[in-house]
Every structure is written in structure tokens, then in C-alpha cells.
Amino acid sequence: MAAKQQPVVSVVENALDEMKAINVKVLAVNKLTDITDTMIIASGNSDRHVRSIADRVVEHAKKAGFRPMGVEGERDGEWVLVDLQDVIVHIMLPKVREFYRLESLWDVSAARREAAEQSA
């Protein structure tokens, strides 16, 4: 992971931990896409929890000097995306996360394991 992303990732991880986000995954995707270097995926227990987690991520990022490019999905609270340029944070309800399976999409090793299991 590039040195400049590490502080952003640490800030996000601290905010997620503080808000008791569930099943946090940090994926280095810089070799898979040029839209971002790191994706962080986490879950919340309810739509209110998801929104609160996203708010805390934005709050911590701003305090640390990182300006979010945008926040999407806050109204419904099922899936909130926080764009911190080189780090994109997805906070989702477990049912939404299971349906979209972003980890399988972006984690090459997980995708390979899944393909191997299906072919066996």
C-alpha cells in the first residue's frame, strides 16, 4: 500500500472501530483499477447504524485533513459510500453486502478460491 494511503486507511479503521462496525475488510485494489487504491467494506446492524458509521468516517477524515469527494446513499442507509479519493469506503447492511458481494468482485484471491470451489 502506498505511504500516502496508509494514514487515510488508519483514520477510517479507527472510525469504524469506534462505531463498532462489523466484518471490516480492507482490500488493496490498486492493481485492479485506477479509480482508487484501497476499498474498505464494513457492515452496520441497521440503516441508522450504517448512516452513523458513515458520518463518523467523514468526521474523522475531515479532522485528519482528508476531504471527502462525496458521500452517497445516506438517505436510505442500506449502503453508504464515502469517497476519500484514494480510499473508497462502503458501509452496508449485511443483507445488502451479501447480495452485492463486493469482496468477491474486488478481492482476486477470494475470487480465485470461489472459482476453484465451483469447478471442484
Side-chain angles (χ1 to χ4, degrees):
M1 186 173 311
K4 73 176 185 172
Q5 279 80 41
Q6 191 55 46
V8 182
V9 170
S10 295
V11 167
V12 170
E13 286 178 320
N14 288 337
L16 294 172
D17 186 50
E18 187 176 296
M19 291 302 295
K20 301 194 179 350
I22 303 164
N23 196 14
V24 176
K25 301 280 186 201
V26 178
L27 304 173
V29 296
N30 55 328
K31 291 187 170 75
L32 304 173
T33 183
D34 53 1
I35 61 169
T36 191
D37 292 331
T38 305
M39 276 197 201
I40 301 176
I41 305 168
S43 295
N45 294 319
S46 65
D47 56 348
R48 188 175 187 176
H49 189 213
V50 167
R51 285 192 297 269
S52 296
I53 293 168
D55 289 345
R56 188 64 53 95
V57 167
V58 169
E59 178 185 316
H60 279 236
K62 285 180 178 178
K63 281 183 184 175
F66 303 106
R67 295 201 48 83
M69 295 293 289
V71 179
E72 299 290 332
E74 282 185 305
R75 185 180 310 171
D76 294 331
E78 291 187 356
W79 177 356
V80 180
L81 181 144
V82 180
D83 184 349
L84 296 165
Q85 297 176 352
D86 296 326
V87 177
I88 294 179
V89 185
H90 299 272
I91 305 124
M92 312 164 98
L93 289 175
K95 66 180 182 180
V96 175
R97 186 172 177 173
E98 187 176 323
F99 181 79
Y100 286 102
R101 300 172 43 164
L102 292 182
E103 290 95 334
S104 296
L105 180 66
W106 291 105
D107 185 357
V108 175
S109 60
R112 286 183 185 146
R113 280 193 304 274
E114 188 173 303
E117 290 171 3
Q118 288 178 356
S119 65

